[in-house]
Amino acid sequence: MNHTEWSQLVELSSWRIATALAKRNPRSITVFIGHPGGGQSDVLWLLNRKYQDIDHGEIFLNRTGSIFVQKRFDGKEQNEQDFLSRLYWQHYLVSDHAEFVAKIERAAGLPQVKKSPITTNRILTYQLFVHLLKKLFLRNINSYHESHFTIRNGYFDSSGPLGSSRNKDINTFDFDANLFRKQKKDLISNVSYRFWILYSDNHRTVVFPLIGFEESTGVLAYANGVKNHLKLMDLYNTCDRNLDLFFESVDQVLSQSGVAEFKKFDGKMQ
């Protein structure tokens, strides 16, 4: 497996873990991407949704490093019997997904949920990320493509020399102006954290924003001002809230979207 394939597999894995934890604990977990360690790390960061600070619960899914719980969400000291050391992506890939997620929940002081709450716009958006990253990863593996696909936040959060800033690529999408109004649950009162962008990087030099998302409404938007936005929850409901049918329907919509990258992979994986 080359570097591109490995990085995509790790990103896919990080979203599988984050989505499972957020779905089971939607009121407890906020998800964003951060670059601590002088900007060197690439962390899918799970933070306490209520308090929104580093003292009330943190889970690091570092795509350039390891997986670990920084702070428990219940305020207790970490129990070394539950989490003895940092885990690496190889540990996840050889583990049962559900058992691995449960292990993180125990270490983080999150409740052992027996049944996940009803799916919201935000969680449905994350579930679609997992589906798309999986499709694109398998397409690359099966057809020997070198394309790199990645999902990035609407806010570039970094401790590196260049600092943090709003992702200007949000302007590529014709999002409704009302989506940029502040909401109570906005991380650090910054609306940009609610936005996400799927990028294609075909030659590792030029990065193309393909589709954008706003998580609180579940809106999918195309780049370059295409106005036929897709409301994910409406489509999910027309599929009788069947996730597999929803994914198939999204695949069909994207393959007909006019975005060249999606014409190369449809529900049949041609």
Side-chain angles (χ1 to χ4, degrees), residues 18-31:
T19 299
L21 289 167
K23 179 171 173 53
R24 289 162 60 80
N25 303 275
R27 295 184 179 180
S28 301
I29 290 176
T30 281
V31 180

Side-chain angles (χ1 to χ4, degrees), residues 172-241:
T172 305
F173 306 92
D174 186 31
F175 285 114
D176 190 295
N178 290 325
L179 296 181
F180 295 94
R181 293 180 177 177
K182 288 187 177 181
Q183 297 182 10
K184 183 178 180 180
K185 291 296 183 180
D186 285 341
L187 180 62
I188 321 175
S189 298
N190 190 326
V191 301
S192 298
Y193 283 109
R194 281 191 273 113
F195 291 83
W196 302 89
I197 300 173
L198 174 65
Y199 290 93
S200 170
D201 182 358
N202 289 331
H203 304 290
R204 309 296 291 159
T205 54
V206 181
V207 181
F208 302 96
L210 298 178
I211 48 179
F213 307 84
E214 197 285 318
E215 65 176 37
S216 73
T217 57
V219 167
L220 182 158
Y222 302 107
N224 302 319
V226 179
K227 295 183 180 296
N228 55 331
H229 295 176
L230 179 65
K231 292 186 177 180
L232 300 181
M233 188 59 71
D234 288 351
L235 183 58
Y236 184 50
N237 287 331
T238 64
C239 295
D240 295 324
R241 301 182 73 85

Side-chain angles (χ1 to χ4, degrees), residues 114-179:
K114 293 184 179 180
K115 184 178 180 180
S116 297
I118 188 170
T119 299
T120 63
N121 284 316
R122 182 169 70 99
I123 301 305
L124 189 61
T125 301
Y126 298 165
Q127 289 175 315
L128 183 56
F129 292 170
V130 175
H131 170 72
L132 292 177
L133 289 173
K134 180 180 178 181
K135 281 280 192 182
L136 292 163
F137 172 73
L138 290 176
R139 192 201 79 174
N140 281 2
I141 293 293
N142 291 333
S143 59
Y144 305 103
H145 277 257
E146 288 295 331
S147 301
H148 182 262
F149 296 89
T150 185
I151 291 173
R152 293 291 145 185
N153 217 171
Y155 189 77
F156 182 73
D157 186 308
S158 178
S159 62
L162 297 179
S164 302
S165 62
R166 181 180 182 272
N167 186 341
K168 294 181 180 179
D169 286 337
I170 294 177
N171 300 331
T172 305
F173 306 92
D174 186 31
F175 285 114
D176 190 295
N178 290 325
L179 296 181

Side-chain angles (χ1 to χ4, degrees), residues 246-261:
F246 167 72
F247 290 150
E248 290 178 10
S249 296
V250 172
D251 287 344
Q252 292 175 4
V253 171
L254 292 180
S255 69
Q256 299 167 4
S257 66
V259 181
E261 291 292 342

